[in-house]
Amino acid sequence: MPEIRIKLTGDVAFQNDIKLSEGFLCDVPVDPLGIPYIPLPELLPEEVTGKLRVGYAFPEGYLGLVKEADRLTKLMPDIMPQIRSCFTGKKFYPEEGAWVRFLRAGQIFCASIYAHGDFEALEAVLASITRLGIEKEGISGRVECTLSTGKTNRSHRTPPGCDLQCDRLEYTLMPVTPMCLFAPYASGVKTATFVPGMVLRDTLEKNADATLAAKLRDMTFSNAYISDGTERLLPLPLCMALVKLDKRQLHYRLSSGKDPNRAEQDVSPGDAYARSFESSLTTFTRPEVERIVSREGVMYDALCQGQMFRGTIYGEDAALRELYAYLLAHPSLALGYLTQEGFGQVYLKAELLPAEKLIAEYLARSFDVSCLSHVLIMGRTGIPDTTAEGLLEEVERRLCAPGKLKIVGRYMDVHEDFSWNSRWGQEGPVVRCLAKGSVMRLETKDGLPVNIAPILHAFVGERTKDGYGEIMAFPALEGYYRAAETVAPEKYKMKLPLSFLWLHFSAKLTDQVIGRILKKRIQSLAVSDRGDVPAKEGADRPVPLDLLRFIRDRFDPTVSDELLALWYREGLEEDTDEFIFEE
């Protein structure tokens, strides 16, 4: 993966219009954990960002720092200022009556490049950049920018642990920065709460070489939904009901009658067609969404960073192995909108899975068909068909059972599909399709069972390669089906495989944070003792080592008594207030 490396040879700060901080004339933007970054897309010349997608520049070893900062935040709330202070310093300018926070010299920041371009021209531009941010007394903004092309040998090799024939590749992706996946004209500033398969396929097709790009067009990319780390949490059918006796349980019912002995909250409008029924659904596990501001000052919804989204890619064994090797070498991508501003950076993990043993026969007289994604079915007249009857005809065709099934229950919704307008500048028609979550119950007309094995999990209709048309069939044995319980947010945060280098940076961050907290506690204790100590006697005052050791053992038992005493005596001096009350 090509990346830009920025070595800070001087202190660097930015004007406050990039990241608003009260009381600071100039500041440094930080992520939600307090780790600073350089908003590189906003600082590079337009001739560079117009051709290449350049991400934010994060500190070297960022993924390791994220994991450790997240752990520290859970152990000690309100620790974000301490994490930030490991990378930054601050100066007060009396003539302006304001503070300036800056990145300290000596650090290295790295920014990924997510598209092909003229790297020779980019190298020339980077060589000409010697300063970033503001120039002010004591803050030079001096930097050294270099380009690492990250060329990797992608020779074909069998991935470890998968010597069998493979027919699918499962992927899990984590947004490193907020990610916008809205469709133009349709939802305005609202983002999708899943990653459409089309978005991932088009991004890979644009970035990969011509040979692999051609093979991607024959693969099917499912949508990536929020995940608990082991499987996708599928969208709820539109007929979900909440059971009063146990609020963790969700059931859906499509049978014509109901059991009067079951106490339940019936949110069903009957078997009628209900376009607006989605607004009545019980809240299930949904991705976290935040508000971000674009370069033009427009506010957008975006999926929060750190969450897991899981999906599957289906295709031929050889092509999947080539794609797997590519993803091993290029785990970072830029997805969605505002990528030119640094948003939409994701980290992707992939796993090749052996070919599934297909079920040859699964007989059922009554079963439900649920849409796991939007389903686009073209009628015989060439107009999209958004009726249950249109889906029924497609199901009967798949089962080789024309005219043998009847609809006994339906909960359908219609989705206006604008996504074709967003395919890398192309424009296409706005079409209507069956919305994900649409579900119908079918029965055989003659009462004899039919083999539903072909639709236990299948793709039907148009644009299945883009993730549309994914359906599943559920035999209707009792009329009630249990859905997964609501998953706590910490269950769908990605656990990253960290390299030794990342582990080194994360351990160093912990040492710095804990050390700064301990030093602050010791010096704060000394400040409280100042009033009882004449200035001329401060240096000779006995050090309360027993108390200092008690404080030390809570944070870092490895700190020596000599260092504790030094910090305490420094706290007795007048010029230590700035450090103690820095945040």
Side-chain angles (χ1 to χ4, degrees):
M1 173 66 67
E3 67 175 14
I4 298 172
R5 294 176 64 84
I6 304 172
K7 182 178 181 180
L8 309 186
T9 56
D11 297 336
V12 176
F14 306 101
Q15 289 295 340
N16 212 1
D17 56 353
I18 294 179
K19 188 73 173 181
L20 182 63
S21 296
E22 186 177 354
F24 283 85
L25 180 67
C26 301
D27 203 352
V28 177
V30 295
D31 71 5
L33 294 171
I35 302 175
Y37 61 88
I38 298 176
L40 202 56
E42 301 179 22
L43 304 175
L44 289 178
E46 184 66 31
E47 60 266 22
V48 174
T49 56
K51 297 179 180 179
L52 297 170
R53 284 184 170 82
V54 179
Y56 288 156
F58 292 103
E60 193 172 21
Y62 176 69
L63 294 179
L65 298 175
V66 166
K67 179 179 180 181
E68 202 61 22
D70 185 55
R71 186 181 72 86
L72 289 170
T73 302
K74 292 174 182 176
L75 292 175
M76 293 173 281
D78 304 323
I79 201 174
M80 190 179 84
Q82 298 292 343
I83 295 174
R84 175 175 56 191
S85 64
C86 292
F87 305 89
T88 63
K90 69 175 191 174
K91 296 179 184 292
F92 184 74
Y93 290 83
E95 67 278 5
E96 299 176 79
W99 291 89
V100 169
R101 186 153 33 211
F102 56 88
L103 294 171
R104 293 197 303 271
Q107 302 179 85
I108 295 177
F109 284 71
C110 304
S112 296
I113 301 173
Y114 300 100
H116 296 293
D118 188 348
F119 288 134
E120 291 186 2
L122 176 60
E123 280 187 294
V125 171
L126 293 177
S128 67
I129 298 176
T130 59
R131 295 177 185 270
L132 287 178
I134 65 165
E135 293 183 42
K136 205 171 183 63
E137 181 184 354
I139 299 178
S140 66
R142 289 189 175 277
V143 297
E144 294 178 358
C145 299
T146 56
L147 176 66
S148 173
T149 56
K151 293 182 179 179
T152 307
N153 180 17
R154 285 181 47 228
S155 59
H156 178 77
R157 56 188 174 86
T158 302
C162 189
D163 299 327
L164 303 175
Q165 187 80 7
C166 298
D167 67 350
R168 66 196 190 281
L169 187 154
E170 200 156 76
Y171 65 91
T172 303
L173 59 85
M174 177 194 76
V176 178
T177 62
M179 178 169 57
C180 297
L181 296 170
F182 58 89
Y185 317 120
S187 53
V189 299
K190 298 291 185 181
T191 183
T193 54
F194 62 95
V195 181
M198 180 191 72
V199 172
L200 179 60
R201 193 188 76 166
D202 286 356
T203 300
L204 291 174
E205 187 176 331
K206 181 178 179 65
N207 293 348
D209 57 49
T211 302
L212 179 56
K215 296 177 180 178
L216 289 171
R217 300 186 189 105
D218 295 324
M219 299 181 187
T220 297
F221 285 69
S222 77
N223 294 337
Y225 296 116
I226 195 75
S227 171
D228 62 357
T230 58
E231 54 187 322
R232 287 192 299 168
L233 301 181
L234 300 176
L236 288 176
L238 296 181
C239 51
M240 273 294 177
L242 177 66
V243 178
K244 287 182 178 179
L245 298 180
D246 186 350
K247 293 188 176 181
R248 296 173 303 168
Q249 294 182 352
L250 293 168
H251 295 73
Y252 70 88
R253 175 168 38 76
L254 271 171
S255 55
S256 55
K258 76 173 184 177
D259 185 355
N261 296 320
R262 300 193 71 129
E264 63 179 320
Q265 175 188 353
D266 186 7
V267 296
S268 164
D271 289 340
Y273 179 87
R275 279 199 60 190
S276 61
F277 183 60
E278 190 171 6
S279 61
S280 303
L281 288 181
T282 303
T283 301
F284 193 54
T285 300
R286 296 179 64 85
E288 296 178 46
V289 176
E290 64 179 289
R291 301 284 276 174
I292 62 174
V293 181
S294 71
R295 189 178 298 167
E296 288 77 22
V298 181
M299 295 191 68
Y300 295 98
D301 282 347
L303 296 173
C304 295
Q305 58 208 79
Q307 304 176 90
M308 285 187 293
F309 295 85
R310 198 173 183 92
T312 308
I313 303 171
Y314 302 89
E316 297 293 333
D317 178 82
L320 287 175
R321 290 178 185 272
E322 185 174 352
L323 175 58
Y324 178 78
Y326 176 85
L327 294 177
L328 284 180
H330 303 81
S332 296
L333 298 170
L335 298 179
Y337 290 86
L338 303 181
T339 54
Q340 73 278 5
E341 298 185 27
F343 295 105
Q345 299 178 48
V346 303
Y347 179 86
L348 189 146
K349 294 193 299 184
E351 177 185 5
L352 275 176
L353 299 178
E356 287 185 297
K357 295 182 179 179
L358 299 178
I359 299 175
E361 187 176 60
Y362 199 115
L363 300 178
R365 294 182 178 86
S366 177
F367 56 94
D368 297 345
V369 176
S370 182
C371 300
L372 303 187
S373 67
H374 303 317
V375 179
L376 179 57
I377 296 176
M378 303 302 292
R380 297 176 182 177
T381 60
I383 300 175
D385 191 340
T386 57
T387 65
E389 287 72 19
L391 180 58
L392 170 63
E393 185 176 342
E394 187 70 17
V395 168
E396 287 182 332
R397 187 183 68 81
R398 276 301 190 99
L399 298 182
C400 299
K404 294 184 178 182
L405 302 174
K406 62 179 179 180
I407 300 173
V408 297
R410 72 183 80 187
Y411 294 83
M412 318 299 287
D413 196 4
V414 175
H415 171 72
E416 291 188 340
D417 178 31
F418 288 80
S419 61
W420 198 263
N421 290 270
S422 63
R423 295 192 70 166
W424 303 113
Q426 300 180 18
E427 291 190 0
V430 177
V431 298
R432 289 161 56 86
C433 51
L434 287 171
K436 61 183 176 67
S438 296
V439 59
M440 64 182 182
R441 172 157 294 178
L442 304 178
E443 286 183 358
T444 57
K445 293 180 178 178
D446 55 11
L448 298 177
V450 64
N451 180 22
I452 64 171
I455 60 169
L456 288 176
H457 181 225
F459 286 83
V460 299
E462 305 293 320
R463 292 178 59 187
T464 55
K465 304 294 184 185
D466 297 337
Y468 288 72
E470 187 177 8
I471 64 171
M472 290 188 76
F474 303 94
L477 301 178
E478 299 177 357
Y480 290 88
Y481 298 90
R482 172 81 177 272
E485 295 181 0
T486 300
V487 178
E490 59 268 18
K491 295 293 186 182
Y492 52 88
K493 300 289 186 180
M494 180 181 282
K495 294 179 174 63
L496 295 170
L498 300 181
S499 66
F500 288 112
L501 180 61
W502 290 346
L503 289 172
H504 166 73
F505 284 116
S506 63
K508 187 176 179 181
L509 173 67
T510 300
D511 290 342
Q512 283 186 304
V513 170
I514 298 300
R516 284 173 174 268
I517 292 177
L518 177 57
K519 183 177 181 181
K520 183 176 179 180
R521 297 291 172 89
I522 297 297
Q523 293 192 334
S524 296
L525 176 65
V527 169
S528 66
D529 290 343
R530 272 187 202 164
D532 302 328
V533 182
K536 61 181 180 180
E537 299 179 8
D540 301 325
R541 176 186 171 100
V543 176
L545 273 177
D546 290 340
L547 179 57
L548 301 187
R549 288 168 182 158
F550 176 78
I551 298 174
R552 174 193 64 187
D553 292 343
R554 290 185 56 199
F555 294 97
D556 187 358
T558 64
V559 175
S560 65
D561 289 349
E562 292 76 12
L563 188 54
L564 290 177
L566 175 62
W567 287 344
Y568 181 80
R569 290 195 172 99
E570 287 177 350
L572 295 176
E573 301 174 2
E574 296 293 335
D575 59 355
T576 57
D577 285 1
E578 180 179 334
F579 174 81
I580 296 172
F581 302 107
E582 178 180 356
E583 305 298 342

